[in-house]
Amino acid sequence: MRWGTLSGYGALVGAVRALECSPSAFQAALPQNASVNFAYQVKANETFQVPAGDLGYPTSPTGLPSLCAVSIQVQSLGNSTYGFGLYLPDNWNGRFLAMGNGGLLGGVNWLDMAPGSRYGFATMSTDTGHNATNANGTWAKDPNAVENWGHLAMHGSVVTGKIATAAYYEEDISYNYYSGCSTGGRQGLKEAQEYPEDFDGILAGAPAWWTSHLQPWTVKIALYNLPETADYHIPPALFPAIGDEVIKQCDPQDGLTDSIISNPLGCNFRPEELLCSANVTNATTAGCLTAPQISTLYNIYTDSIGENQTFLFPHLYPGSEAQWVLLSGSEPNPLGPNYVKYLLGLGDDWNFYDFDEDVQRLADKLQPGNATVDFDISAFHNKGGKLLHYHGMADGLIPTGSSNYFYNHVESTLTPQGIDLDSWYRFFFVPGMQHCSGTPTTMNAPWYFAGANQAAALGNTVYGVPGFRDEKHDALLAMMAWVENGTAPDTIIATKYKNDTTQAEVLRQRPLCMYPKEAKYKGTGDVDAAESWECKSLY
Ligand SMILES: *[C@@H]1O[C@H](CO)[C@@H](O)[C@H](O)[C@H]1NC(C)=O
Ligand SMILES: *[C@@H]1O[C@H](CO)[C@@H](O)[C@H](O)[C@H]1NC(C)=O
Ligand SMILES: *[C@@H]1O[C@H](CO)[C@@H](O)[C@H](O)[C@H]1NC(C)=O
Ligand SMILES: *[C@@H]1O[C@H](CO)[C@@H](O)[C@H](O)[C@H]1NC(C)=O
Ligand SMILES: *[C@@H]1O[C@H](CO)[C@@H](O)[C@H](O)[C@H]1NC(C)=O
Ligand SMILES: *[C@@H]1O[C@H](CO)[C@@H](O)[C@H](O)[C@H]1NC(C)=O
Ligand SMILES: *[C@@H]1O[C@H](CO)[C@@H](O)[C@H](O)[C@H]1NC(C)=O
Ligand SMILES: *[C@@H]1O[C@H](CO)[C@@H](O)[C@H](O)[C@H]1NC(C)=O
Ligand SMILES: *[C@@H]1O[C@H](CO)[C@@H](O)[C@H](O)[C@H]1NC(C)=O
Ligand SMILES: *[C@@H]1O[C@H](CO)[C@@H](O)[C@H](O)[C@H]1NC(C)=O
Ligand SMILES: *[C@@H]1O[C@H](CO)[C@@H](O)[C@H](O)[C@H]1NC(C)=O
């Protein structure tokens, strides 16, 4: 038995009892289907060394608080297993926080667990049942591994992780939270839908919720710009010129010229302004586009439509150009082809140039890993859960429109059931934010609010919102205030530091507004101060 002080955020002041931080102590507390890989104490300010060969998340977190680091393996379908990691800080705040994963990466996301442990949360991350980089999808040849990735590993890791946490502290967990972005956003929404008892509050960013359409679209959008020898191919060297023209046209259209595109959907963008004049011999060096390249731009900014006018997937928003990684290179991002080859089972030899709508039909039929999230998430509402969802408007990896599409369809599904969303599910656009974090240097939009993965983007020892550790600026604290005190967040103030590395001075702050409201400048006051803005309904 060990004693430590309890002084985390909102926690009781006193002492906390804990088991020994040893494999045998945890093993004794776990059901038979779980076995301990390791458990050892990490001292304050030490580095946790990620186990060698952890392919998905190799980066080791530094500057940790004093905590017990645990790795546990759980038996799943057939012979398959999944693993998860736990950080159990000495200064526990009584709460459990699960973090999400990214892409098809297999591994425990130790790096993203670290910020939560600095608040005092017991933090957990699952490896989703495989050990792999995004470039290698062969793990998905095993259907059990696909089911683990889709939903079983997160749920089972949460259930088992809670047992280990409560046993270690010899005390019940007071509240259970989740924070994830991208695949992590999908995992959060999937938990809300299928395992509503797991969490009290879920923070879901840029969710890859429509996996069965997102991954085929990842191949389709790449093909708009391939092969590189085609006359319609736009070389990445021209993306900045396109981004500049988009800002030139779309920034003033939102009512304030501030370099941030706040209403990309309302922008009537005219690509022809980028056409090369007759005397240009090299479009790339001249920074202009040929007529065939202009057609490619139209494809990029148009929804993906299938046979019989079926809506397949939303387009990338204008303003996402600085993150057009899916349109760079000589082949699609491996997430697309790996999904088709291994999760849809078309095999190693499938050539992405053979992509056609049959691929989409197959994905709709198979729904690998049951990964796509249903619109009926009423069970999470019925048990009193709170859901906070956000998406950057300059996201170049997962089209921003897939988030409002989800929100709108949940509303259409639940309103007839008599369920009003505002009391438990709120969605926030983040103007100028890229995929989960960051902003183009040409926009410098406020994007930081301690969302999932964001702390690591500022620095290895960051947590919360430096300088603004309160529920108005920190989405995780806002979620806690909502769950524990019933204070629902109308706005979250996002921050852009002058220098993200030092976080010493603020460049800009601005409120993020609850959809479908939008932040509007009041007309007077410093445009870079949050109080000069208000959330207005456009409808
Ligand atoms: C943590 O370690 C770093 C270098 O390893 C050191 O610079 C820093 O002062 C330490 N911080 C504390 C709080 O001990
Ligand atoms: C992951 O795979 C690598 C390379 O095959 C291996 O070295 C490592 O031990 C594996 N890690 C886990 C946790 O299975
Ligand atoms: C489990 O592994 C054993 C031994 O490798 C094998 O014989 C058996 O077929 C496997 N079972 C399943 C369900 O994969
Ligand atoms: C891909 O992963 C499999 C195991 O899942 C491994 O056997 C294979 O060597 C990996 N391929 C590469 C190119 O790393
Ligand atoms: C592990 O086994 C226990 C006891 O049989 C069961 O209640 C639990 O659901 C299992 N956990 C998982 C993650 O399968
Ligand atoms: C090319 O034509 C444009 C307008 O047609 C003109 O403004 C520009 O100066 C010309 N450039 C050269 C190098 O002749
Ligand atoms: C145009 O200029 C770019 C950049 O200098 C160069 O890579 C490319 O080969 C040129 N294209 C043609 C058709 O000369
Ligand atoms: C499109 O319509 C045709 C004719 O009604 C039908 O046979 C086909 O299945 C439809 N395709 C899709 C994807 O719904
Ligand atoms: C798949 O998801 C549906 C809801 O979309 C759910 O009813 C079903 O139980 C899930 N299947 C599995 C195997 O989890
Ligand atoms: C709840 O409200 C109390 C009183 O204002 C405050 O001390 C506490 O920190 C709040 N808890 C959370 C989780 O926001
Ligand atoms: C930000 O601060 C770091 C650390 O002091 C410094 O190395 C870097 O040059 C700064 N970046 C800018 C853009 O000023």
Side-chain angles (χ1 to χ4, degrees):
M1 206 74 72
R2 213 163 43 77
W3 294 77
T5 51
L6 219 177
S7 67
Y9 182 85
L12 306 163
V13 176
V16 59
R17 290 196 299 179
L19 292 182
E20 285 298 331
C21 179
S22 70
S24 57
F26 281 100
Q27 195 60 65
L30 291 171
Q32 282 204 334
N33 47 16
S35 61
V36 180
N37 296 321
F38 61 76
Y40 63 86
Q41 190 71 26
V42 178
K43 291 201 193 80
N45 204 26
E46 270 188 359
T47 297
F48 168 80
Q49 199 59 51
V50 168
D54 195 331
L55 300 173
Y57 304 89
T59 310
S60 296
T62 58
L64 290 168
S66 176
L67 54 77
C68 176
V70 191
S71 164
I72 291 170
Q73 206 69 23
V74 184
Q75 286 295 328
S76 188
L77 304 174
N79 288 346
S80 76
T81 69
Y82 47 81
F84 68 89
L86 283 173
Y87 280 157
L88 303 171
D90 296 359
N91 291 336
W92 187 42
N93 68 12
R95 302 168 178 91
F96 180 82
L97 173 67
M99 304 302 296
N101 302 85
L104 295 173
L105 291 174
V108 172
N109 190 353
W110 299 102
L111 191 65
D112 283 338
M113 285 162 58
S117 69
R118 297 187 184 108
Y119 291 84
F121 288 98
T123 57
M124 190 286 288
S125 161
T126 178
D127 68 6
T128 75
H130 61 274
N131 172 27
T133 63
N134 273 332
N136 188 344
T138 56
W139 60 270
K141 288 180 177 176
D142 171 7
N144 292 333
V146 174
E147 211 63 36
N148 289 336
W149 160 80
H151 58 120
L152 293 179
M154 178 57 81
H155 172 62
S157 298
V158 169
V159 169
T160 315
K162 286 182 185 176
I163 294 172
T165 301
Y168 178 68
Y169 294 113
E170 299 188 304
E171 191 179 308
D172 288 342
I173 296 165
S174 57
Y175 294 99
N176 295 289
Y177 293 97
Y178 177 85
S179 177
C181 195
S182 196
T183 279
R186 178 191 72 77
Q187 291 169 310
L189 296 179
K190 190 73 198 170
E191 281 282 308
Q193 177 224 312
E194 197 169 0
Y195 307 107
E197 295 303 325
D198 282 359
F199 298 110
D200 300 300
I202 292 175
L203 198 57
W209 68 271
W210 203 359
T211 320
S212 53
H213 282 224
L214 167 65
Q215 301 313 346
W217 170 87
T218 298
V219 179
K220 187 172 178 175
I221 188 172
L223 290 174
Y224 290 156
N225 206 30
L226 289 176
E228 287 171 297
T229 51
D231 63 348
Y232 55 80
H233 172 75
I234 309 175
L238 277 175
F239 296 170
I242 300 169
D244 289 347
E245 181 62 28
V246 167
I247 290 183
K248 192 173 146 208
Q249 292 188 37
C250 299
D251 176 18
Q253 288 193 39
D254 64 25
L256 184 74
T257 305
D258 57 356
S259 79
I260 301 171
I261 301 170
S262 299
N263 184 11
L265 271 185
C267 176
N268 183 19
F269 179 63
R270 190 168 182 276
E272 289 75 10
E273 297 300 321
L274 284 160
L275 268 172
C276 300
S277 44
N279 57 8
V280 166
T281 51
N282 186 322
T284 307
T285 46
C288 59
L289 269 66
T290 63
Q293 291 174 323
I294 295 283
S295 317
T296 301
L297 262 196
Y298 272 103
N299 283 335
I300 294 168
Y301 296 132
T302 304
D303 288 340
S304 168
I305 303 295
E307 199 182 30
N308 304 345
Q309 301 304 309
T310 319
F311 175 82
L312 296 182
F313 211 63
H315 59 84
L316 289 171
Y317 275 3
S320 61
E321 299 76 19
Q323 201 173 41
W324 276 2
V325 292
L326 303 181
L327 290 151
S328 313
S330 57
E331 45 189 76
N333 184 291
L335 289 173
N338 278 341
Y339 184 84
V340 179
K341 288 178 184 177
Y342 305 115
L343 285 96
L344 298 182
L346 294 190
D348 297 286
D349 297 332
W350 182 76
N351 183 326
F352 62 84
Y353 282 114
D354 294 336
F355 179 85
D356 63 18
E357 221 175 303
D358 288 341
V359 170
Q360 184 57 69
R361 275 188 275 271
L362 185 61
D364 282 328
K365 185 170 144 231
L366 296 180
Q367 289 296 347
N370 219 9
T372 296
V373 183
D374 272 16
F375 300 129
D376 190 344
I377 54 172
S378 56
F380 190 59
H381 159 265
N382 296 342
K383 84 118 212 184
K386 301 285 186 283
L387 174 59
L388 213 153
H389 170 185
Y390 59 88
H391 205 133
M393 281 181 153
D395 194 326
L397 284 167
I398 298 186
T400 312
S402 61
S403 269
N404 30 313
Y405 184 89
F406 182 80
Y407 180 92
N408 291 341
H409 279 77
V410 170
E411 189 174 18
S412 303
T413 305
L414 300 191
T415 299
Q417 296 183 29
I419 298 174
D420 172 56
L421 301 195
D422 288 356
S423 65
W424 63 283
Y425 173 17
R426 297 186 172 200
F427 168 57
F428 296 80
F429 276 126
V430 188
M433 184 172 82
Q434 299 181 308
H435 189 57
C436 300
S437 65
T439 183
T441 51
T442 48
M443 287 195 200
N444 272 328
W447 61 270
Y448 189 81
F449 46 88
N453 329 120
Q454 290 193 339
L458 290 188
N460 216 347
T461 56
V462 174
Y463 81 98
V465 183
F468 305 91
R469 298 195 190 283
D470 60 57
E471 67 194 55
K472 299 232 169 297
H473 299 82
D474 179 319
L476 189 53
L477 297 183
M479 171 60 84
M480 284 167 60
W482 197 7
V483 166
E484 300 179 22
N485 282 351
T487 316
D490 292 327
T491 65
I492 293 164
I493 297 172
T495 299
K496 171 77 185 89
Y497 297 98
K498 281 189 180 155
N499 184 331
D500 285 343
T501 311
T502 60
Q503 307 115 39
E505 280 179 276
V506 170
L507 179 69
R508 289 171 151 176
Q509 286 184 321
R510 192 172 292 187
L512 308 175
C513 297
M514 182 181 143
Y515 178 80
K517 288 184 182 168
E518 273 184 31
K520 289 282 169 197
Y521 178 52
K522 287 178 181 168
T524 55
D526 181 2
V527 292
D528 294 334
E531 56 270 20
S532 307
W533 293 76
E534 61 193 335
C535 293
K536 282 203 166 162
S537 183
L538 302 182
Y539 306 98

